[in-house]
Amino acid sequence: MTRRGVAILGSTGSIGTAALRVLERHSDRFRVSALTAFNNAPLLEEQSARYAPSFVGIVNNGAPAHRRWTTGPHCLVEAATRDDVDIVLNAVVGAAGLDATLAALEAGKRVALANKESLVMAGELAADAARRGGGEIIPVDSEHSAILQCLAGRPSSEVRRIVLTASGGPFRDWTRERLEQATVDDALCHPTWRMGRKITIDSATLANKALEVIEAHFLFGVPYDRIEVVVHPQSIVHSFVEFVDGSVLAQLGTPSMELPVLYALTHPDRVEDAGVRPYDPVASSPLTFERVREDDFPALRLGIEAGRRGGASPAIFNAANEEAVALFLDGHITFTDIPRTVEAALVELGSLAAGSRDALLAADDAARHHVRESCPC
Ligand code: NAD
Ligand code: MG
């Protein structure tokens, strides 16, 4: 069997390291062709020694001259477009993943996409790049992997509704008053998933679920009024699809990102794997579902409205959110300031152009600038 070459962008992160565990179990099918990281040179060095990729890139510092590593932000696109790469696992966090997603699609690669931010920013451009270059996106996000598996190739015209599940994050049952006092440590304490810091904060504000609604809209071509969110604290049901005949399918499993990572690599095939603890229906009972407290977690509504508005609004939502999360993590603003700050940026910048990558990056930049300017720090 010819082994498929995989580039892992963001190999030192939570998804990147999970992906390397998966690839190690399936080294008969896949080889690690390229690795990139932001600045964690020691871990990248270790990974490079272990997996012997033909390309290693680091964005920022930490690469002494003796290493034959490519440095600077462009290393992502280089890794994503190499001839020995068939699948690009984009596990970079934030808008920094955009160019690599577009370039990989344009170069005809399969993009196993964890970096939802790039699709949220530029869903239409990604679709154009895929059409031109013959690439495809297979989602790594657990909800979207679930939906893809439930759809099993059926067209969007047969879908009545998509229901994305949300764990509800660490503040699911906190009162509005208590949310005002939430600390960084409180927000980083996710009940069911161990993830990078940015997505963990997004899960606490529900901005992550807004990004996922937009991601689902672009991936599956389903209009916003047919995408819903329900809180499911156990994170066992990864999402539902209701078809036009009223039948509802769900995909379930132990909460581990190794499952959707593996599926994104092998789709539409399934391969034998025993890396993840088997699902035990009795031990994980009961499975419960709740309505989202939309008034107490306004980031969800803000993001969905930005998605409906279209144009540059999703990119503005995403960039303002990234900046606001960074300010919160640095102790400059409170938890409940995050959606307030994002809303102010959306109100101020609502109608920017979005026809090209450069226009989207200008909107992204304007949103970041607006958030930083409005910071009391
Ligand atoms: P993380 O912070 O653990 O890792 C991020 C990786 O990206 C690191 O390897 C880092 O070196 C690299 N990186 C960071 N900034 C960069 C930049 N400016 N340029 C290039 N590389 C950069 O994050 P994570 O939790 O692994 O999440 C990665 C992506 O996957 C995010 O888009 C997130 O929303 C998505 N995702 C994560 C999970 C999860 O369980 N962790 C689940 C679903 C989706
Ligand atoms: Mg998700």
Side-chain angles (χ1 to χ4, degrees):
M1 184 188 329
T2 344
R3 297 194 304 160
R4 306 196 77 198
V6 182
I8 304 184
L9 314 182
S11 66
T12 54
S14 157
I15 294 285
T17 50
L20 284 169
R21 288 194 295 276
V22 170
L23 289 173
E24 195 159 318
R25 295 202 294 274
H26 296 280
S27 56
D28 54 330
R29 291 170 192 274
F30 302 103
R31 77 193 130 70
V32 178
S33 297
L35 296 174
T36 77
F38 184 64
N39 63 2
N40 188 345
L43 181 54
L44 187 61
E45 174 85 78
E46 217 177 288
Q47 294 177 338
S48 144
R50 187 174 182 114
Y51 301 104
S54 51
F55 177 94
V56 181
I58 189 155
V59 172
N60 223 354
N61 78 47
H66 73 271
R67 293 195 186 121
R68 302 219 318 272
W69 290 2
T70 302
T71 56
H74 192 70
C75 72
L76 300 177
V77 168
E78 275 189 49
T81 52
R82 290 174 59 81
D83 286 344
D84 63 350
V85 166
D86 303 296
I87 303 174
V88 176
L89 190 124
N90 190 345
V92 165
V93 58
L98 174 66
D99 283 344
T101 295
L102 295 179
L105 293 170
E106 191 93 48
K109 313 291 188 193
R110 167 174 291 194
V111 178
L113 187 73
N115 178 246
K116 63 193 91 182
E117 294 92 339
S118 54
L119 193 61
V120 166
M121 285 179 78
E124 275 114 16
L125 294 187
D128 290 347
R131 255 192 307 274
R132 275 195 307 272
E136 62 175 351
I137 296 183
I138 306 294
V140 166
D141 225 344
S142 54
E143 297 77 1
H144 305 74
S145 178
I147 293 161
L148 181 70
Q149 294 177 59
C150 293
L151 284 174
R154 303 310 304 165
S156 60
S157 57
E158 290 184 7
V159 175
R160 182 181 289 161
R161 201 162 53 118
I162 284 177
V163 183
L164 290 171
T165 51
S167 70
F171 303 142
R172 182 174 60 85
D173 52 7
W174 284 38
T175 61
R176 195 186 294 204
E177 295 66 39
R178 198 171 162 211
L179 283 176
E180 298 283 347
Q181 314 299 324
T183 66
V184 170
D185 285 347
D186 293 331
L188 285 175
C189 197
H190 196 278
T192 47
W193 298 98
R194 298 275 83 78
M195 311 179 285
R197 284 157 67 87
K198 190 260 178 182
I199 185 178
T200 303
I201 302 302
D202 286 353
S203 302
T205 60
L206 296 196
N208 181 52
K209 216 43 63 175
L211 296 172
E212 292 186 354
V213 168
I214 302 172
E215 182 185 9
H217 167 76
F218 283 125
L219 281 172
F220 305 114
V222 172
Y224 285 104
D225 55 10
R226 292 201 265 134
I227 306 175
E228 291 174 19
V229 176
V230 69
V231 172
H232 168 49
Q234 297 82 23
S235 301
I236 296 288
V237 176
H238 297 307
S239 279
F240 301 93
V241 176
E242 180 181 303
F243 290 90
V244 286
D245 60 1
S247 195
V248 180
L249 297 190
Q251 185 261 343
L252 286 72
T254 303
S256 162
M257 290 308 294
E258 293 186 29
L259 287 175
V261 164
L262 177 62
Y263 187 71
L265 298 172
T266 64
H267 168 85
D269 301 331
R270 294 185 183 273
V271 300
E272 181 89 36
D273 185 68
V276 174
R277 186 165 44 84
Y279 168 57
D280 177 344
V282 175
S284 53
S285 289
L287 300 182
T288 60
F289 301 91
E290 303 165 11
R291 304 257 171 253
V292 179
R293 288 164 49 206
E294 290 187 15
D295 292 342
D296 297 330
F297 297 93
L300 178 62
R301 175 186 48 81
L302 285 172
I304 296 174
E305 279 172 11
R308 284 179 190 273
R309 219 173 298 126
S313 294
I316 292 168
F317 172 78
N318 177 64
N321 179 58
E322 280 187 33
E323 280 307 303
V325 169
L327 290 176
F328 171 66
L329 285 170
D330 287 343
H332 297 305
I333 62 174
T334 68
F335 180 75
T336 46
D337 283 337
I338 299 174
R340 282 186 208 117
T341 309
V342 172
E343 183 164 25
L346 281 164
V347 168
E348 176 73 21
L349 303 168
S351 59
L352 293 177
S356 66
R357 167 197 173 273
D358 290 352
L360 287 172
L361 286 181
D364 173 284
D365 198 52
R368 288 174 199 274
H369 192 72
H370 187 277
V371 169
R372 277 195 303 270
E373 290 289 295
S374 66
C375 177
C377 42

